[in-house]
Structures are given as C-alpha cells and as structure tokens.
Amino acid sequence: MATRVVPGRSFTLRGVVAGLAVGTIICFSNMYFGLQTGWVSIMSMPASLMGFGIFRLLAPHLRFPFSPVENVLLQSVACGMAIMPLGCGFVGVIPALNYLLAQDEQGPINLSTWQLIIWSLGLCYFGVVFAVPLRKQVIIRERLKFPSGFSTAVLISVLHGQGRQSTKDELDAAAKGGFASLVPRDEPLQPDTVGRAATDQEHQQDAGDDVPDKGDWAANIKLLLLCFGGSGLYTLATYFFPILRNLPIFGSAAAHTWLWTFNPSFAYIGQGIIMGTETTLHMLLGAVVGWGILSPLAKSRGWAPGDVDDWEHGSKGWIIWISLAIMLADAIVSLAYVALRGIFASQQVTGIMSSLRQRVQEHGVSGLWKSPSHDYSPLLSSETETAQRRYGADEYAPVQDDNEEDAPPHQRIGARMVTIGLLASIALCVITIHLVFGDLVPLYATTIAVLMALVLSIMGVRALGETDLNPVSGISKLAQLFFAFIIPQTHKSSVLINLIAGAVSEAGALQAGDLMQDLKTGHLLGAAPKAQFWGQVIGASVGAVLSAFIYRVYTSVYTIPGDLFQVPTAYVWIFTARLVTGSGLPYRVKEWAIGAAVLFAVATITRTLAIGKRWRPLIPGGIAVAVGMYNVPSFTLARTVGGLFAWYWTHIARRTQTPLIILASGFILGEGFLSIVNLLLQGLNVPHL
C-alpha cells in the first residue's frame, strides 16, 4: 500500500538548535509577562515565522533547503520551551509558595535553584507523553480543527510557497482533512517502506524555490525588526522613566486612589491584537465592573477598609474573590459540556439513543423496555464482502479506514514507547515532588493528582480542539476543589497539597494541549509525529531548566510581589486554596461571589449553545471578564487598544492577517527580550531618572 511521504527532513540538528534559540526568547518573554499579569502565550505562529526568517537569511549557506516539516519541528521545540514558565508553575504556584503561604500553612517555602529544577523536570513530561494516545482520537478520527494549530500550518504553508488553498471553504475542508492535506496534491506518493534517507528529495531543489516573493519577505522582516526595536526601546525607556508604565490619563485622583492608569506598552497592545477584539472587550468589561464599580463600592461600604492596592484588606483583594467565583463557574460549565458532549457524541451512545428514539416512535413509551423482535444486517457490496473475507469481518471497517488517514508507520510513535514513557513520567513526577517537599505532600496525594491531571487533560484537549481555548486555569481550580474533599481541612499541609495538586493538573493539561496543537500542525503538513514528540521532549527539558534559572534571577533582582511584578495569579492560587480548604471569606464577598457565579454560569451556557450565532460575542466570556477583574486596569486598557486595532485592521482596512501577526509578535518579543537589559540595569542599581 502506498503511503504519502512528504519530502523534507522531519528531524534535524539544525532545526532543534534553531528551535531552542527561538524558544529561549519566548521563554524569557513569557516569564516576564507571566509574573506581571499571568499571561503566557505558546506563540507557535511567531516561532514558525522567526524560524523561517533565520533559515531564509542563511539560505545561501545551507546544504539542503529548509522545508515545511523542518519548520514544524522547529516550532514544536520552541513551543515546548515557551510554556514552561506556566507549566512548571513559575508564574503562579511557586510565587504563592515563596511569598504568600502563611506560617500556619507550612510556609513560606523557599526552594533552592536545584529544587526548582527538580520540580520542573518532574512536571514537564507526563502531559507530553499522554497527548500521544489522544492524537488518534481527536486528530485522526474526529478531526477536530485546533484553530491555532491549523492557522500555524497555513502560515508555514504560505511561507514555504505551498499556500494554494485560498478560499474559506477550501481552508475549512483542509482543517478537517487527513494527513498532509495542506500539501499540494502533486507531491509524489512514496511507498511506506522508504527509509528516511530516501525521502530527502530536497537535495534536488534549489534552496530558494520554496519561499514567497522576495519583496514581500523583505517587507515582513523589516516590519518585524521595526516593531521589535520600537518595543525594545520603549522597554528601556520605562526603566529610566517608570511613570511611562502608569500614565494618569484619568486624573491623579483616579490613578492614586483607584489605580486607573494606562500602560502604553507595545507588548500589551500586541497581546490585545493576538487575543482579538471580542476577548479584550470582555476583559475591559471585567475591569469596568471590578475596578470601576465593585472596588469603590467595597471601599465606601467598609467591606474592604484598607488601601485599594492592598491584597489583604483593600478592594484589590476583595474583588479577586468575585473574579475567582466567575472563573470557577465558567470552568465547571465549560468542562462539563465538553465531557458530556464527548460521551453523547460517541458511536455507542449515538447508536443507543437512535435505537431508543426509533422504539418510542414505533411503540410509544413502552417500547423503551420492549426487546426488538428482529435484528437486521445491512447488505454488503461485493467489494466489502471480499474485503471481509480477506481481513475478517471484525477488522474491516472501510469508512473508518478512510477517516483514519495517518502518517507512515515508521513516522509514528509506537505503543510500547508511549506505555513506558507514560509510566516513567508519572513515576518521575511523584518522586521529584517527594524529593522537593518531603512528607509535607504525601505520596498518595501526588499520585492521585497526576491521575486526575490525565483525566482533566482529555477535557482540556477537546476544548482546545473545538474552541482554541485550553481552560487550564479552570482545570487547576477543579483539581483544587476535588482535593478539598479528599484532604481533611485539619491536615497541617492542606493548603500546600491543594496548591501542588492544582499545579500538577495545570501542567498536564497545558502540555497535552500544546503538543496536540503542534501535532495538528504537523498532521496537516505531513510532518512525522515521532519527530515532533522528541522535539517537544527536548524543548520541555531545556525549558524546564531554563525557566528555573530565569525565575531565580528575576526574584533575586526584583521585589516580588511589587509594582512591576504583581504576580496576580499567585494570589488567585492561594485564595482558591484557602477558599476550598475552609478559610473564611472577606465581609460581603460570599453574597456577591455567589451572584456572580450564577450569572456567569448562565452566560457560559448561553455562549456554549450559541456557537456560530452572530450575537454570541455580545455575551461576555467568564474567563476574560475574570482576568479583567484581577489585573489592574493599566494592562487591560492597553490590550483593549490592541483588540480595537485588530478590528480596524481586519474589518475597516480589510488587510491580510500576516502583517498583523508579525506586528504583534515584534511588539511582544521586543519588550520580553529587552527586559533582560532592564534586569541587568536593576541588578547593577543604575538609578532611575
């Protein structure tokens, strides 16, 4: 049988090295922005774009050209590194343990650099391995779209001159297509017995044949460098002029008393562009309700008598409970929908429901418990009968074979490797957590946390495939809620165990979702899943170690929590742990939190049922509103500017998306990477102006 083998080397040393270089930049950026606002992006499209730029500049010196499948490897490595600041808890759980855990909660816990590395390596693998068996179900059989993975595949296809599907219908068909559906059909078919060396037909191609027009490419690179440089210069300026981060555009009273300022950061404008108009406007709604209505109300009524900026006694800490209730309601409803839909969409359940419906139609309600009098078998065509005689009736499923077009067998990940890898990664996670925390976290609690993480990862992957949103924050909160029932509140480490359980669940769901996006990209472009898997493992390993060092450097130089790094997600983590383990709520929070939870549970149900409706964007999304509440308005306002600019670009100016992605990527990476210079200046105690 002939299996389609796409020309190009799926795994190369140069691709891995370039991926690590790109991933390092994104990793620094994600740590920087994560400690500020909790925002972390996989940035698969910018990674592919930067990787292509690197090899485009080196094209005259390449021994063989840079192919689309090699670009897939590069972005898999880079994305594996990029998510480690969040996946290993460095923007949430670890700061909560270091700075917010009280003495009666076994805190604060200050981990050494080596302990941070051990912790990171324990968390960075099992989600990656668990994603592999899920691939067959969600990508091969169900063919979920995974919008970001699909968009990255389209971008790579366009960059390498293969972007022939241009209409919306063609792109939608390609998104649900089989293996290498974005590769032009005039590519050769090769026997699946051909080895890796025999597939290197790129030796016969010119290194510049697979790139777009040189003028377009030069313009895109110029735009990327211009945005990178402009954002970097702004970042340096903020060190010497800190007022640039908090411009009092609404007046000094609103700025100093109620924290209403504007941060004209190019990076946060870029984040708003990537988030989109709908999400940023919902975040703005959260900021207006939280900081414009609830915060003054709590302050004036005496519910939060401290300074507004006080997490413990001020309205800043009061409204975070409301945002937490909204996040929990959104997570429970969304994940319940994904779980129930997965159950009722299965072939077995669909068949049973169809049979029951037919019985009711024929015999009324009594037909539900009436045994069918006849069993019928469909008539088989001569081809089907021949195939069943040859392969066996139980093994032959022609429709399933058509729907399960996959990579050649030698490019897939073997079941034995998955089994051994999954068991080893689970054992590694349990052992490393025990080494770091000792008897404070029982072995049985860690084991349950890992197993629960695997179950929740399934829902996270499905949600990501259908909606492009991986609800990792909601998944972690559900894990914390679950552990509140199995760990007694009287346990001396109940809050600590709760935090660790949530971190493990978040890590598993995040890594599984990230790899699944990458696998979708590779599936559409004909890349080898085995190469992507090992690329992700390499990226995760390096990213885990690098993230530990970056976190240690930032916490050594800056005051955390502080004006620059407020670590809001750390407060969300610790407040959730205290809430579910029985700690008391601030005055009047309970009533408002319950009301907000009910309201946004209804809103989430409405949004879920309204998928595809034109009025759906008018219903606020729970997570976006909650993020707008727990982040100070300065960040949300900048993101809203970016979201509105994206709307103008696409709907008014009607321009293409590629330059917009390049612009946003340059803005984000410029500030994230040049923040290293600010870090050095702060470490050298260079005075501000």
Side-chain angles (χ1 to χ4, degrees):
M1 177 181 177
T3 302
R4 197 166 192 215
V5 179
V6 176
R9 297 187 180 186
S10 291
F11 193 91
T12 63
L13 178 60
R14 69 183 192 183
V16 172
V17 172
L20 293 176
V22 173
T24 298
I25 298 175
I26 302 176
C27 191
F28 266 98
S29 297
N30 279 341
M31 184 69 76
Y32 175 79
F33 296 119
L35 291 173
Q36 281 190 341
T37 65
W39 185 85
V40 168
S41 175
I42 297 175
M43 300 190 75
S44 56
M45 296 179 72
S48 301
L49 185 65
M50 288 189 290
F52 183 82
I54 292 172
F55 283 98
R56 180 68 179 92
L57 295 174
L58 298 175
H61 310 287
L62 298 180
R63 189 164 56 89
F64 53 90
F66 183 60
S67 64
V69 294
E70 194 175 3
N71 200 334
V72 171
L73 169 69
L74 185 151
Q75 66 98 22
S76 295
V77 175
C79 293
M81 291 187 66
I83 62 172
M84 286 301 108
L86 177 61
C88 296
F90 289 113
V91 303
V93 171
I94 297 300
L97 297 177
N98 291 167
Y99 304 107
L100 306 180
L101 199 65
Q103 290 185 354
D104 59 348
E105 298 167 338
Q106 306 301 313
I109 296 178
N110 295 308
L111 303 178
S112 67
T113 303
W114 284 110
Q115 286 177 313
L116 291 175
I117 293 174
I118 293 172
W119 155 268
S120 302
L121 291 175
L123 289 184
C124 73
Y125 295 119
F126 69 90
V128 174
V129 180
F130 186 62
V132 176
L134 296 180
R135 172 182 177 271
K136 189 173 184 64
Q137 179 63 32
V138 299
I139 292 181
I140 307 302
R141 292 177 178 168
E142 299 183 36
R143 301 193 179 187
L144 299 183
K145 185 174 181 179
F146 288 95
S148 289
F150 168 64
S151 299
T152 304
V154 172
L155 176 64
I156 293 175
S157 180
V158 171
L159 288 173
H160 291 267
Q162 294 181 346
R164 299 186 183 180
Q165 290 92 355
S166 56
T167 68
K168 184 178 184 301
D169 291 340
E170 288 175 330
L171 289 175
D172 288 341
K176 296 183 178 181
F179 185 71
S181 61
L182 280 178
V183 179
R185 302 308 298 179
D186 56 1
E187 295 286 351
L189 284 175
Q190 300 181 10
D192 56 10
T193 56
V194 175
R196 182 179 301 170
T199 67
D200 294 334
Q201 296 187 0
E202 68 273 21
H203 288 289
Q204 303 172 7
Q205 303 171 2
D206 181 77
D209 287 345
D210 60 347
V211 298
D213 180 76
K214 186 175 181 180
D216 292 341
W217 165 247
N220 288 337
I221 285 294
K222 184 178 180 180
L223 177 61
L224 179 65
L225 294 177
L226 183 64
C227 294
F228 185 96
S231 182
L233 288 176
Y234 167 81
T235 304
L236 293 177
T238 59
Y239 179 84
F240 295 102
F241 304 98
I243 187 62
L244 291 176
R245 294 190 179 278
N246 291 288
L247 298 179
I249 61 174
F250 301 104
S252 58
H256 294 98
T257 304
W258 305 110
L259 306 185
W260 275 94
T261 60
F262 177 63
N263 181 0
S265 164
F266 290 100
Y268 284 100
I269 292 174
Q271 291 177 17
I273 291 173
I274 291 178
M275 292 175 177
T277 309
E278 178 183 339
T279 299
T280 53
L281 288 179
H282 292 169
M283 291 171 61
L284 179 63
L285 174 64
V288 171
V289 172
W291 296 92
I293 299 176
L294 294 180
S295 176
L297 181 65
K299 177 75 172 178
S300 62
R301 295 292 181 89
W303 304 338
D307 293 336
V308 172
D309 199 28
D310 187 347
W311 283 102
E312 296 295 331
H313 306 290
S315 56
K316 185 178 186 178
W318 194 90
I319 62 176
I320 199 174
W321 292 100
I322 312 301
S323 69
L324 179 58
I326 294 172
M327 291 175 65
L328 284 172
D330 185 276
I332 292 172
V333 172
S334 299
L335 294 177
Y337 170 77
V338 172
L340 293 175
R341 181 176 178 178
I343 293 173
F344 286 102
S346 64
Q347 293 183 353
Q348 293 84 354
V349 175
T350 302
I352 293 173
M353 296 298 293
S354 178
S355 176
L356 293 176
R357 190 182 303 111
Q358 184 176 0
R359 293 186 193 182
V360 171
Q361 291 174 350
E362 293 179 356
H363 306 288
V365 178
S366 60
L368 291 174
W369 52 83
K370 183 177 180 180
S371 300
S373 56
H374 301 285
D375 289 323
Y376 297 94
S377 299
L379 295 175
L380 302 178
S381 65
S382 58
E383 293 86 352
T384 305
E385 290 177 341
T386 302
Q388 286 195 348
R389 285 194 300 269
R390 181 176 180 181
Y391 299 107
D394 293 335
E395 297 181 4
Y396 181 72
V399 175
Q400 190 177 35
D401 285 345
D402 290 340
N403 289 335
E404 291 188 10
E405 184 182 355
D406 201 352
H410 69 276
Q411 294 184 354
R412 302 176 200 170
I413 307 161
R416 181 179 179 183
M417 180 188 298
V418 173
T419 302
I420 296 175
L422 188 59
L423 293 176
S425 61
I426 291 175
L428 178 65
C429 181
V430 174
I431 292 172
T432 53
I433 290 178
H434 183 70
L435 289 175
V436 173
F437 296 101
D439 295 333
L440 291 176
V441 181
L443 288 174
Y444 77 88
T446 307
T447 304
I448 294 174
V450 175
L451 297 178
M452 185 178 182
L454 299 181
V455 175
L456 293 175
S457 295
I458 298 174
M459 292 188 286
V461 165
R462 293 192 62 85
L464 186 65
E466 295 175 0
T467 67
D468 204 32
L469 294 175
N470 192 347
V472 291
S473 59
I475 285 174
S476 62
K477 302 302 174 285
L478 289 180
Q480 289 183 271
L481 185 62
F482 175 78
F483 265 78
F485 291 103
I486 66 174
I487 301 296
Q489 295 180 5
T490 55
H491 194 288
K492 65 178 182 178
S493 304
S494 59
V495 174
L496 173 61
I497 295 172
N498 197 274
L499 290 171
I500 300 302
V504 171
S505 296
E506 183 177 65
L510 183 67
Q511 294 158 17
D514 172 38
L515 180 57
M516 202 61 66
Q517 289 275 30
D518 294 342
L519 289 173
K520 179 67 176 183
T521 300
H523 181 72
L524 296 174
L525 293 173
K530 184 184 294 185
Q532 289 186 263
F533 170 76
W534 287 114
Q536 185 89 4
V537 169
I538 293 171
S541 302
V542 177
V545 177
L546 180 63
S547 295
F549 281 109
I550 297 174
Y551 176 80
R552 177 59 66 213
V553 171
Y554 272 114
T555 55
S556 299
V557 173
Y558 291 99
T559 300
I560 296 179
D563 292 336
L564 182 59
F565 297 113
Q566 301 184 20
V567 289
T569 49
Y571 284 95
V572 172
W573 275 97
I574 195 70
F575 282 9
T576 304
R578 289 170 180 168
L579 172 65
V580 299
T581 55
S583 298
L585 294 172
Y587 186 64
R588 287 293 186 184
V589 159
K590 180 179 179 180
E591 294 83 354
W592 284 89
I594 292 175
V598 172
L599 176 63
F600 277 89
V602 174
T604 303
I605 293 173
T606 305
R607 282 179 58 84
T608 302
L609 298 177
I611 293 177
K613 304 291 185 181
R614 295 183 61 182
W615 49 267
R616 185 176 184 266
L618 300 177
I619 308 298
I623 297 297
V625 171
V627 171
M629 278 191 180
Y630 72 67
N631 277 320
V632 291
S634 61
F635 298 120
T636 303
L637 292 174
R639 287 168 170 168
T640 304
V641 171
L644 293 175
F645 179 77
W647 175 82
Y648 170 81
W649 184 278
T650 55
H651 292 83
I652 304 300
R654 297 188 180 278
R655 298 184 180 180
T656 59
Q657 289 278 354
T658 301
L660 189 63
I661 296 170
I662 294 172
L663 181 141
S665 303
F667 282 166
I668 296 170
L669 296 174
E671 179 168 340
F673 193 67
L674 267 295
S675 66
I676 300 173
V677 178
N678 285 14
L679 179 70
L680 296 175
L681 295 175
Q682 183 73 24
L684 296 173
N685 294 318
V686 176
H688 304 286
L689 299 180

